[in-house]
Amino acid sequence: MSSRPQRGQGQWALGHLEPLNAAERFKKDDDGLNVRDRILTQYAVQGFDSIDPSDLRGRFRWWGLYTQRRPGISGGRTGALDDAEIEDKFFMMRVRIPGGQLSAGQLRAVASIAKEYGRDLADITDRQNVQYHWIQIEDVPAIWARLAEVGLSSLQACGDVPRNILGCPVAGLDAGEIVDATAALRATEAVAAGNPAFTNLPRKYKTVISGCSARCTPHEVNDVSFVGVPGPDGSPGFDLWVGGGLSTNPMLARLLGAFVEPDRVPGVWAGVTSVFRDYGYRRLRSRARLKFLVADWGPERFRDVLETEYLGYRLPDGPAPAPPAAGSRDHVGVHRQRDGRYYVGVAPHVGRTSGGQLWQVADLAEAYGSGRVRTTAEQKLLILDVPADQVAELTAELAAIDLQASPSVFRRGAMACTGIEFCKLAIVETKQRARDLYAELDRRLPTFETPITINVNGCPNSCARFQLADIGLKGSIVDGAEGFQVHLGGSLGADPSFGRKLRGLKVSADALPDYVERLLRNYQAGRAAGEPFASWVRRADEGLLT
């Protein structure tokens, strides 16, 4: 009996160039970046109803635009409705902020757009973007013009393209960093953004370039990451990781064992991205991320194809990165810079802020620092370059606008995605539920001081990285109402692991404070001295976790 021939996966390098699904078809028909002209000359003039569906639900993403969820549609109907039935005539828009680096002038432009066009809402995402809501198509040209005036844009903030590049927000300032990745990140951004060679990838593509010793960007779950290490001759450079990702099939990135010198980062990034473009699976959207190719090939084959077919030279072998430096990855608090000045990191409420608040931050950054502001991969904000004798006054000013440099452990460790308020994929509300949860935990457990992460996600797609949290909450319908499937003990750093999912462990949204309080009290009672929550979860009896 002959075996059935294996179906093609749509890999360009193997000659499979004919689109195998609707997404591949609209990308072949017209490059996503070309929709900009139609937005400016047609859709913004003629209004929402004039927008071609392939542009609206496809190419608009190449310019950072998604339709947002129409109010009043319950989470139980998510997935059961077509896009046209669930979407509103307003948009979410993301601003691309490479490495989270902003000047006060840029932040004011971001703030003014939120105030004038987005009902004064602005969310800091865990990819260092700022995301607006309530954007109307008629206002997009004016928004783009205002962003362009300060060197920002929404280019490739969504879509099957290289997304915003993550970097350490205190690159070049942290005395403990392994290498200042600023130049490498900026040079790679110049290659990645708007490059026709990379505007049709199989799926979204996420990059980290960082030399932070605390590993403040999650290189373990990005498609390609350059992680600071000392090189074979002692000169600092980067270790190369590929194939990480979360969503419904989480995978940790694989170490290639190759050392990349700083000036070679853009070329190596282009090589890895080209491997994904040409060999990535395009038949099924659910298997089109780089992680599936890396899982099938293994790191040895991937490195060989990269070097022989794309780079044309062999990368030197290099050491794996050392364990992360002690302390938190989020840079919250007051920290001394290598130049003797300080930076101050604050925790907005799970990334939710406003145009008015961001404008105040820009003013404070100029009044107390050099005007430099940073966003982080933990939905936090930093003000840089503060003289020692002005730190206390600045932290007081920030606290007065509800930005805490010394937040409770629960507020500091919380993260939440957009949720059902605006997202068409969400099942539950997230932002307000997260805020209510940590406010209640602050009240019930006022002396709890152990760092703890609680990530609240509206659906299985893991925009808030719920598999990596101490307590990861994935939106679900429980007994006909909003609730969460619980994942426990996720971690990154020296011992990366996805959270433990207990069979049938779901909690209604209303019961969440009682459940988390009980769980944390069990941890306090049963932990060994200095034992982190994630380590306790891995050995705890199941009865203590439910």
Side-chain angles (χ1 to χ4, degrees), residues 15 225 532:
S225 295

Side-chain angles (χ1 to χ4, degrees), residues 96 162 165 181-193 195 198 207-209 224 226 262-270 273:
R96 186 182 182 99
I165 300 176
T182 303
L185 190 152
R186 290 176 177 170
T188 304
E189 171 69 6
V191 174
N195 187 337
F198 305 123
T207 302
V208 165
I209 304 175
V224 58
F226 297 83
D263 62 353
R264 284 188 163 177
V265 168
V268 174
W269 179 91
T273 310

